[in-house]
Each structure stands twice: as structure tokens, then as C-alpha cells.
Amino acid sequence: MKLLRNNIADMQGYVPGYQPPDVASWIKLNTNENPYPPSPAVREAILAEVGSDGAALRTYPSSSSQALREAAAELYGFDPSWIIMANGSDEVLNNLIRACAGEGEEVGFVHPSYSYYATLAEIQGATVRTFGFAEDGTIAGFPERYQGKIFFLTSPNSPLGTTFPLPYVEELAGRCAGLLVVDEAYADFADSNALELVRKCENVVVTRTFSKSYSLAGMRLGLAVARPEIVAALDKIRDHYNLDRLAQVACVAALKDQPYFAENCRKICATREWFSRELLALGYQVLPSQANFVFAAPPDRNGQRVYDALYREKILVRLLSDPLLSHGLRISIGTDQEMQRTVQVLKSIA
Ligand SMILES: Cc1ncc(COP(=O)(O)O)c(C=O)c1O
């Protein structure tokens, strides 16, 4: 229990000692949510499903989330048997570990990346092995043949925002004896993705979330694209009705409104580029981001000082206690107005 409590506190981006703020009135840039609402079609679909008396809610939803699988399959150019829908991509990450890694078996990932893999693996009794980055951005000491059951590659990386080049991802797939799971929670903000490798390499799985680019963190929606035999294994161990009715109609509506989605992503990337330039002008070290956040370090490399200053102005960003990361902050991209206010505060403490 202690492990879980610590992890949840850390995920929210609160520094121990602070009370969680009343975030509704704050500028909230700590968990990489989308600052814009989902497509208006999502609200309409949810209202239509609820209807005037909510009668549809009496009955169970589609167990297979078939309409979503079909909508996602069409969008990504796969057969629906290659898609599995999940109650947030965290669910599919968890089920991949449950399906592939038993007690004492190894799961690997890069550090720093998404710390939740370790929690999920530990709950399962699997062992965890982490690898750092080499100077050239590749993975330091990655074996010629990695024998772990799963290697999670977060691309774009969180909290860094950087991506791994596709040929390198393909090379890693060839070096993994088990699955290579490319966690693409942020890929919709990036110039490339690894979907084509799912077709090319039999051990590659790509996971996506609707929490970021589709503005649906509150609905808990994610998916994986993988070979049908992997999808079938994941289907066996998921909850029967893992997606509720409202999540299912919301997801289909969001997937079908691609023009809204594309414009939303475009705006966030444009704001990200503007914000990165402003930080550079203030002397910050800014990693080139392909996600909806940036990792940036102030000139004095004192992340805590900048975190505190922003906190006093009711701007919540993510300070990570890890010694590799505490010199900087991960800052989600909000609206233009929110980022202008953030820059204003950063200028006042420069
Ligand atoms: C890299 C990465 N993977 C997965 C997730 C989980 O996403 P979801 O909200 O779909 O569970 C996150 C959430 O922040 C993330 O950063």
C-alpha cells in the first residue's frame, strides 16, 4: 500500500509537504492534459446515449468495444483484429505485464521515462531493469539480445519529450527476445510514430491514449495496436466490460472528428514551439519536445526554486524528485493565455 500511495502522490506532481491545491482555479500544467475541450461531437454523442431518461445505462455496454476497434482500425489502416481498446492506456500497459511477465520475470524500460511501469511490474511480482541514456540519445548498455519479457520504450519520452528515431526502434525490436512495447501516449504531437513497425516486426506493440491529444483524460480511454494473437491474449485477461457506454460513444465521436483533432494538435504544437523559444531566450536549457509538454531547466539548475515561484502564482507544473531530473521542470502546454502568464512569472524571477 505504501508503494501505491507514494506513486499516486508523485503522479499528481505535488511536492511532499504541500497540500493539493484547489486546482480548478489554477493554471494546471502538471499532468499533460489537453487545455482544449474534446470535439463538440463527443458531448453530443454522450448526451444522445444518455437520452432523456438515461434508459440506455440500464444495459451493459459492448464487451468487445467493437465500434471503437473498427473506427480506430480504419484510422490507422489495420484490421480490427489488430486493435484492443482499454480503460486508459494504463490498463493496457498493466494487462501486457499481466499477460507476459510472471513472478520473478523481467520487465525493462529506460530511466527516465514513465515511472508507472515499475509500479505495475512490482504489483505483478515481476522484476524491473532500467537502462539510462547514452550521450548520443541511444540506450546505454542495451544487450545485443535482451531477454526480458517486455521492454517499454516511451517515445516521445516523458518527462523529456524526445523521440527515438524509427530505424533505432526497429533495431531494438530485433534485439528484444520478448515484446517491445512502444508507449506512444504523446505520438500525436510528434513528427513520426512506430505504427508501421507493428506490421513489420512480430514483437512490436504500440500503445496510445485518448487522454492527451483527444482531450479525454476524464473518460479513461486508450488502445493498443498489435498482432491478432497478442490482441487475443490481452482480450482474455481484460475485464469483460472494461469500457463503459459513455466512454465508447465518446471515443467513436472523437475518432471520427479528425479535422477538430488535427487542429487541436496543431495549436498545441505551435504553442509548444513559442513557449520553448521564450524559455531559451530566458537562458533555460530546453529539450526539443515532440510532445504536449517541455522539459526545461533554469540557468541556476534549481527546479525547486522555479516550481515554488510558479506555485505561489497558482501555476502548477511538475517537479520530479529524481536527482537526474530535479534541476528542471516538466511543463505541460496549456492555452496561449496560460503559457503567456507562465512566461510572465518566469521573467519576473529570472
Ligand atoms: C508515457 C505515458 N504512458 C501512459 C500514460 C497513461 O495514459 P492514460 O491516461 O491513457 O492511462 C501516460 C499518462 O500520463 C504517460 O505519460
Side-chain angles (χ1 to χ4, degrees):
M1 283 313 284
K2 188 165 176 289
L3 167 74
L4 284 175
R5 270 203 302 277
N6 286 347
N7 193 271
I8 288 165
D10 193 43
M11 281 178 68
Q12 299 301 320
Y14 302 126
V15 170
Y18 286 116
Q19 285 300 309
D22 165 21
V23 286
S25 63
W26 285 49
I27 296 181
K28 188 175 180 303
L29 308 176
N30 63 330
T31 46
N32 301 337
E33 288 135 334
N34 197 307
Y36 303 109
S39 156
V42 166
R43 184 173 175 276
E44 280 160 30
I46 291 173
L47 291 178
E49 184 69 11
V50 172
S52 55
D53 60 358
L57 302 182
R58 289 179 310 105
T59 56
Y60 285 105
S62 156
S63 165
S64 61
S65 302
Q66 194 56 27
L68 288 64
R69 288 189 199 219
E70 282 166 16
E74 190 185 333
L75 178 67
Y76 299 133
F78 284 83
D79 185 83
S81 58
W82 291 59
I83 310 278
I84 184 161
M85 301 303 306
N87 190 341
S89 64
D90 280 346
E91 186 197 35
V92 83
L93 298 173
N94 191 13
N95 284 344
L96 280 161
I97 296 175
R98 288 174 67 205
C100 300
E103 186 91 25
E105 291 180 323
E106 187 176 298
V107 164
F109 57 91
V110 179
H111 178 72
S113 73
Y114 190 43
S115 57
Y116 200 42
Y117 308 132
T119 307
L120 295 174
E122 282 163 19
I123 291 168
Q124 204 50 32
T127 58
V128 164
R129 180 169 171 197
T130 58
F131 297 85
F133 281 96
E135 280 290 308
D136 63 359
T138 60
I139 301 172
F142 197 77
E144 261 327 298
R145 192 82 187 139
Y146 177 65
Q147 296 293 349
K149 296 292 174 187
I150 305 182
F151 191 78
F152 289 103
L153 191 72
T154 321
S155 188
N157 177 283
S158 176
L160 304 178
T162 51
T163 48
F164 292 96
L166 210 51
Y168 183 61
V169 180
E170 186 171 354
E171 182 197 319
L172 289 178
R175 287 163 66 179
C176 284
L179 292 186
L180 177 69
V181 176
V182 189
D183 179 344
E184 293 198 339
Y186 301 97
D188 290 325
F189 305 104
D191 298 335
S192 66
N193 64 64
L195 277 179
E196 70 183 67
L197 296 184
V198 177
R199 236 186 292 271
K200 226 167 151 183
C201 317
E202 61 182 19
N203 62 340
V204 171
V205 175
V206 164
T207 61
R208 296 278 177 95
T209 177
F210 290 77
S211 301
K212 319 294 179 182
S213 53
Y214 284 94
S215 312
L216 288 172
M219 295 303 292
R220 310 305 301 127
L221 284 158
L223 60 77
V225 187
R227 301 214 153 216
E229 53 274 25
I230 299 173
V231 167
L234 293 171
D235 256 331
K236 271 196 196 141
I237 57 168
R238 69 173 168 81
D239 281 357
H240 271 157
Y241 300 110
N242 61 337
L243 294 192
D244 68 57
R245 278 184 173 277
L246 302 186
Q248 293 198 24
V249 296
C251 187
V252 173
L255 277 170
K256 296 220 153 143
D257 194 352
Q258 284 299 306
Y260 181 93
F261 161 81
E263 175 57 14
N264 191 328
C265 292
R266 189 203 60 76
K267 270 195 297 201
I268 289 169
C269 292
T271 309
R272 175 188 75 202
E273 296 311 303
W274 174 84
F275 183 63
S276 299
R277 284 195 299 275
E278 291 290 315
L279 290 176
L280 287 168
L282 286 171
Y284 280 60
Q285 185 191 15
V286 185
L287 292 179
S289 173
Q290 293 270 290
N292 67 337
F293 58 83
V294 293
F295 188 84
D300 65 358
R301 299 178 72 75
N302 187 343
Q304 181 80 59
R305 179 184 71 84
V306 179
Y307 177 91
D308 289 342
L310 292 169
Y311 193 97
R312 280 193 295 274
E313 296 299 324
K314 295 194 165 194
I315 300 174
L316 193 59
V317 297
R318 183 82 184 264
L319 173 68
L320 294 129
S321 51
D322 189 301
L324 278 180
L325 302 164
S326 59
H327 61 292
L329 297 166
R330 193 192 70 184
I331 307 177
S332 309
I333 300 300
T335 62
D336 284 342
Q337 214 183 7
E338 288 174 329
M339 301 323 284
Q340 280 158 13
R341 173 70 189 133
T342 305
V343 167
Q344 196 182 32
V345 175
L346 294 178
K347 279 185 178 159
S348 74
I349 59 155

